[in-house]
Amino acid sequence: MRTPFRSRRTVLTGGAAALVLTLAITPTATADTSRPSRQGGSLVLVGGGLKDDNAQVYGEIIERAGGARARIGVITASSVPASQDPYADDPDKCSNSACNGAYYSEVFERHGAADAQWIPVDLDHIANADSEAVVRQVNSMSGFFFGGGDQSRYLTTLLNGAAHRDSKVLAAIRAKLAAGAVVSGSSAGAQITAGAHMVTGGESYEGLRDGSSPGYFEDATRLGYEPEGGFGFLRSGLIDTHTGAYGREGRVMRLAVDTGHDRVYALEENTALLVEHPGGPRERVRVLGPRGVAVFDLRRARVHEGPKTAGRGVDGKRATWSLSGVRYDYLTDGDRYDPRLRLTLPAYGKRPLAPRSTTPVPANTDVFHSAANPAGAPYSFLTTARALAATAAQRTAEATSYEDGPRFTVTFAKSPGFTAWSGDGATPQTLTGLSIHVTDR
């Protein structure tokens, strides 16, 4: 099976204040009113690494597109075009937009779609984004899937680049979503559905240390974002993907703080965030798949920044930075979330877990699964959170970044109202109301 391209990570940077500050995080005021955000359809957003045998996620997309009558339009413009793929003529090795489009089309049909077609828009066919023939093809579809790769290529091909204006094809997809269609995507295909401040790259440690900056950067560790965002289909929170697999919890908290967002949806691999009626008062969220989705709530978060001193920031200086009061919920298969009430509703059959273990939480010296640590383990942040939930011996646990200079310490705390939920009565699966503090030491 061909695995569509995905990059290891992405990052950006930003300056820090010259004075010691204590800031309340408030909802972002950056709203794009040029396009309607209230939709009648649904989104199925996968955190990357979507396996071709994930019948649950593919089946959900197909069912929402009409079941046995589903017609899926596959958009893979985030992949390199055939002209840039040295293996374009080899069906076993190719990884360009056309062959990835054929791959996903075959997978959707294998899972029961009546038809699945590649929408021929990519860097080799930018003009097709305004082709009336391609618009007619889009209008004949009942659902859409955006593949992974580099979301900047979606901006170039479907949003007219710096103009950030809908092409005719994107306008047609937007209208289909508003009329009730399903729009899905994986990795970059999920990221591009974001509104303002779509993440473009970066690592957690460098992001926490240096802050974020607008743009795309060759330095893969630098935390970056697109100020105007992507398609703006989902605006109730920032979106990140491959979260636990690449240890991106730190970068999304820092980006949310820097850009004034008070909520993050952090998606795990091979698992989907189902969003019904995105942008409207009835917006609801459900998780599908074998892993989970973290929701970071920063409404009551406080940032503490100190004066800049000599260090390793972008300008050769860095400021001390810490964050407190972040609420962390981790949702697993079947769990629901109400964005308006900010309420997690565990799936039927899950019950509150009363921890009986007295085993201490294991030490964790690489909470963000650093790419610099050859012995690092994915899902490290979640592992500590669940270990704390499982023990009666501790109310708090600390974990640290692999890097020092500074070393960041993450404190997990069972705040009042914290609950772990389990389907088997022994294993913490869903977590609600865990408190997160990040300290620069």
Side-chain angles (χ1 to χ4, degrees):
M1 183 198 78
R2 181 189 310 109
T3 301
F5 167 81
R6 61 187 174 118
S7 59
R8 171 69 173 91
R9 312 194 181 193
T10 34
V11 186
L12 286 188
T13 3
L19 301 175
V20 177
L21 302 174
T22 301
L23 304 174
I25 306 303
T26 56
T28 179
T30 306
D32 182 355
T33 59
S34 64
R35 300 190 295 270
S37 61
R38 186 169 298 179
Q39 311 290 352
S42 54
L43 307 172
V44 180
L45 308 179
V46 182
L50 179 58
K51 297 184 183 300
D52 63 358
D53 62 354
N54 192 329
Q56 183 181 17
V57 171
Y58 280 109
E60 185 75 29
I61 297 167
I62 291 168
E63 182 63 28
R64 289 177 174 273
R69 300 185 304 277
R71 291 171 55 81
I72 307 296
V74 176
I75 304 98
T76 52
S78 62
S79 299
V80 297
S83 64
Q84 298 178 22
D85 182 1
Y87 301 106
D89 295 328
D90 186 338
D92 294 324
K93 294 183 179 181
C94 64
S95 185
N96 61 69
S97 52
C99 70
N100 287 343
Y103 162 78
Y104 281 119
S105 295
E106 187 274 331
V107 172
F108 272 105
E109 290 181 356
R110 180 154 35 98
H111 282 281
D115 186 24
Q117 302 176 12
W118 180 49
I119 306 298
V121 176
D122 61 11
L123 291 180
D124 281 348
H125 306 93
I126 294 178
N128 280 354
D130 289 305
S131 161
E132 294 297 340
V134 179
V135 169
R136 287 193 295 272
Q137 182 189 16
V138 165
N139 285 332
S140 72
M141 299 292 132
S142 56
F144 303 91
F145 177 83
F146 288 85
D150 184 341
Q151 56 263 40
S152 69
R153 298 187 183 112
Y154 283 132
L155 294 176
T156 299
T157 54
L158 292 170
L159 271 171
N160 287 286
H164 212 270
R165 183 182 66 251
D166 280 7
S167 63
K168 290 181 179 179
V169 164
L170 181 57
I173 294 172
R174 191 181 302 279
K176 296 284 285 189
L177 174 61
V182 58
V183 172
S184 58
S186 181
S187 191
Q191 291 276 20
I192 196 61
T193 65
H197 310 115
M198 176 184 69
V199 67
T200 60
E203 300 281 357
S204 282
Y205 178 75
E206 288 81 2
L208 289 170
R209 185 190 69 192
D210 302 328
S212 61
S213 299
Y216 286 80
F217 302 101
E218 291 186 9
D219 180 355
T221 69
R222 188 175 176 187
L223 179 55
Y225 64 93
E226 168 58 45
E228 293 186 79
F231 300 156
F233 294 157
L234 180 62
R235 296 181 177 277
S236 57
L238 288 176
I239 303 170
D240 209 353
T241 57
H242 302 284
T243 301
Y246 294 164
R248 288 175 168 174
E249 292 89 351
R251 84 173 192 178
V252 293
M253 285 190 282
R254 181 64 197 248
L255 182 59
V257 167
D258 288 356
T259 56
H261 288 264
D262 68 354
R263 178 161 43 209
V264 174
Y265 299 112
L267 283 59
E268 302 287 13
E269 292 188 347
N270 200 33
T271 300
L273 182 75
L274 167 62
V275 186
E276 298 180 285
H277 309 293
R282 295 186 298 142
E283 181 174 292
R284 296 292 185 274
V285 166
R286 179 159 54 96
V287 173
L288 307 169
R291 300 213 65 94
V293 172
V295 179
F296 291 90
D297 187 336
L298 293 92
R299 283 176 301 164
R300 296 182 176 85
R302 296 292 184 270
V303 177
H304 309 275
E305 282 189 309
K308 280 191 173 185
T309 58
R312 290 185 287 185
V314 173
D315 58 1
K317 297 181 178 181
R318 59 167 301 276
T320 58
W321 190 93
S322 61
L323 175 67
S324 61
V326 177
R327 176 186 169 112
Y328 173 79
D329 285 16
Y330 187 81
L331 286 66
T332 55
D333 188 46
D335 294 342
R336 296 176 181 270
Y337 178 78
D338 185 325
R340 183 175 62 86
L341 299 177
R342 295 176 182 261
L343 177 66
T344 294
L345 302 169
Y348 178 77
K350 292 179 182 175
R351 297 289 182 267
L353 177 67
R356 294 183 176 86
S357 171
T358 57
T359 302
V361 177
N364 183 350
T365 57
D366 188 9
V367 68
F368 299 123
H369 182 32
S370 172
N373 180 11
Y379 302 97
S380 179
F381 188 101
L382 174 62
T383 297
T384 293
R386 280 181 163 162
L388 178 62
T391 185
Q394 295 174 235
R395 298 290 302 174
T396 64
E398 289 188 349
T400 63
S401 63
Y402 176 73
E403 299 88 348
D404 57 13
R407 174 169 282 116
F408 286 96
T409 298
V410 179
T411 302
F412 301 78
K414 297 175 181 176
S415 56
F418 166 74
T419 308
W421 301 78
S422 174
D424 61 12
T427 307
Q429 296 168 341
T430 300
L431 308 177
T432 60
L434 196 65
S435 184
I436 304 296
H437 310 270
V438 182
T439 307
D440 173 347
R441 294 179 180 174

